[in-house]
Amino acid sequence: SIRQAAPELSLETLQSGFWLAARQANRLDAIEVIKAIPQDTVTIDVTQALGIASQLNFSYWKTQGIQSLLTNSLPAGNPGFRSRFDPSETGNQSVREEFLSFYDAQRNRRLPVDLYWSAATNAQAPLVVIAPGFEANRKFLAYLARHLASHGFTVAAIEHPFVTRNGSLTSFNPDRLVPGTEFIDRPKDISFLLDRFAELNQQPGELQGRLNTQKVSMIGHSLGGYEALALAGAELRIDELRNFCRSSGLLERVPADWLQCAAAELPQNRIKVRDTRIVQAIALNPAIGQIFGKEGLKTVETPTLILTSTDDTLAPAFTQQLQPFLQLPTPKYLLTAIGTTHLSVSDPGNFTGAAAQGTLVKERKGKEVEPLRRLLQGVSLAFIQQATPEAKTYQPFLTPDYARSLSKPDLQMRLNTELPANITRWLSLALVF
């Protein structure tokens, strides 16, 4: 694995490094071996190295270990699902798109926003806010934004400032990719945006009355999924996060943990960033395995929907979604996509990170996972409609039967409100150890 990241090293040179590291270091890991290489400089392909590390972790292989349980134990629904309409189909409203830019002078943060809406937008319908993950832009879920807008919702897709540490990863410490303050600033970006939208909603113009900031459905992917749940009331357990980051080794962490461990530097032990205007939360492949601790998600105050993908190596299902799902209060939904990956829900053409280029990990994307994106369109619409008078009409689309109707033999999908007892026992036992 080390040679993949440092191909200029010969086998003999690496053997020397291992021998010296074993004698000199308190522990034997890849970093100590590279430091002990008996030459002045060593060139490391950091992207390749991170890709290797993301797949050499226990959490991912735990997910692979219970994949058959997920496939066979989660209720798959009846194959004969019928309905007079399909919420995954485009609505009958003509969608308008508008670019807006806001500036928070107090925090020196510029916030670009794409707004999607139609002339028939219901003033009482929830405003939908979409937040992308790390390195992603506001176009990441554009297809979903257009879909919801075509059904009469106003949708705001935000782009957070891309904030990284000064300098480079010279120490190869992936836990320092972003400042810890980003875990506070990103939710604050959403609250700031809602404040500005509340002002626009009262001003004369085309947007007047179309921005219902008192009833907001939040959708987030990856790090954006963390935002959605934090704004919905989850408590950040920084003290528990610190303990994990101090005691865990490389094989116990996944890329989602690397991001979360950046928050360990925050001085507080417990933090809440709840915004009561958020009435629903959809978290897609969320990075939430450590930051909320073992009970922080119990304080979520809204209905939630979680998407988990069984082949996600960046935010593996086992620790980042399935175990956290056990904490969430009802009503809650779990959408499980067998064999999909971290970026399967989006068009990677609108994503500019190493993961999207396929240089970090192999992603399953494009046409082969189109059924997942279609199901996400239908389920998201049905979930958001639960905050409207149309709730009963859309409830049948939040069932295992509907998920099965869009599944394919090579892409099985499940939609459930709870996990079977045998899976719950596995997840609970792993928490103990």
Side-chain angles (χ1 to χ4, degrees), residues 98-103 109-114 192-193:
E98 184 173 349
F99 172 74
L100 301 172
S101 182
F102 299 91
Y103 179 65
R109 290 174 74 88
R110 176 73 61 185
L111 302 172
V113 177
D114 284 341
F192 175 84
L193 179 67

Side-chain angles (χ1 to χ4, degrees), residues 159-272:
E159 184 171 315
H160 296 288
F162 181 53
V163 180
T164 58
R165 297 274 187 183
N166 292 330
S168 60
L169 291 175
T170 53
S171 63
F172 192 56
N173 185 352
D175 294 346
R176 299 179 64 81
L177 292 173
V178 298
T181 51
E182 279 298 288
F183 288 82
I184 307 300
D185 279 327
R186 286 188 172 225
K188 283 186 176 180
D189 288 344
I190 305 299
S191 295
F192 175 84
L193 179 67
L194 295 182
D195 292 342
R196 302 291 78 76
F197 277 168
E199 296 170 358
L200 280 176
N201 197 50
Q202 302 300 319
Q203 297 174 4
E206 291 184 315
L207 294 177
Q208 187 176 23
R210 301 183 189 278
L211 300 165
N212 184 5
T213 57
Q214 295 308 306
K215 184 187 287 185
V216 179
S217 298
M218 181 79 190
I219 302 175
H221 177 264
S222 193
L223 189 55
Y226 150 77
E227 293 173 47
L229 293 167
L231 288 163
E235 182 181 55
L236 281 69
R237 301 289 183 93
I238 304 300
D239 50 351
E240 294 181 45
L241 176 67
R242 285 194 206 101
N243 289 337
F244 168 82
C245 299
R246 287 170 181 166
S247 61
S248 61
L250 181 64
L251 293 183
E252 297 170 87
R253 300 191 202 180
V254 297
D257 295 331
W258 302 341
L259 278 177
Q260 291 166 81
C261 281
E265 67 183 26
L266 294 172
Q268 306 96 317
N269 285 332
R270 305 289 171 92
I271 304 172
K272 293 201 75 170

Side-chain angles (χ1 to χ4, degrees), residues 250-313:
L250 181 64
L251 293 183
E252 297 170 87
R253 300 191 202 180
V254 297
D257 295 331
W258 302 341
L259 278 177
Q260 291 166 81
C261 281
E265 67 183 26
L266 294 172
Q268 306 96 317
N269 285 332
R270 305 289 171 92
I271 304 172
K272 293 201 75 170
V273 293
R274 170 79 171 118
D275 191 317
T276 57
R277 293 170 290 189
I278 306 297
V279 299
Q280 295 173 310
I282 298 178
L284 310 174
N285 305 99
I288 55 171
Q290 309 301 332
I291 197 161
F292 296 126
K294 294 183 178 180
E295 296 190 338
L297 285 163
K298 291 182 177 180
T299 59
V300 167
E301 299 178 38
T302 75
T304 54
L305 188 152
I306 305 291
L307 166 69
T308 187
S309 299
T310 61
D311 279 8
D312 187 342
T313 60

Side-chain angles (χ1 to χ4, degrees), residues 27 32 75 80 128 138 153 165 205 229 297 317 325-326 407 419 430:
R27 60 178 182 176
E32 294 302 327
V128 181
R138 64 189 184 277
F153 292 94
R165 297 274 187 183
L229 293 167
L297 285 163
F325 183 77
L326 298 179
S407 294
L419 289 168

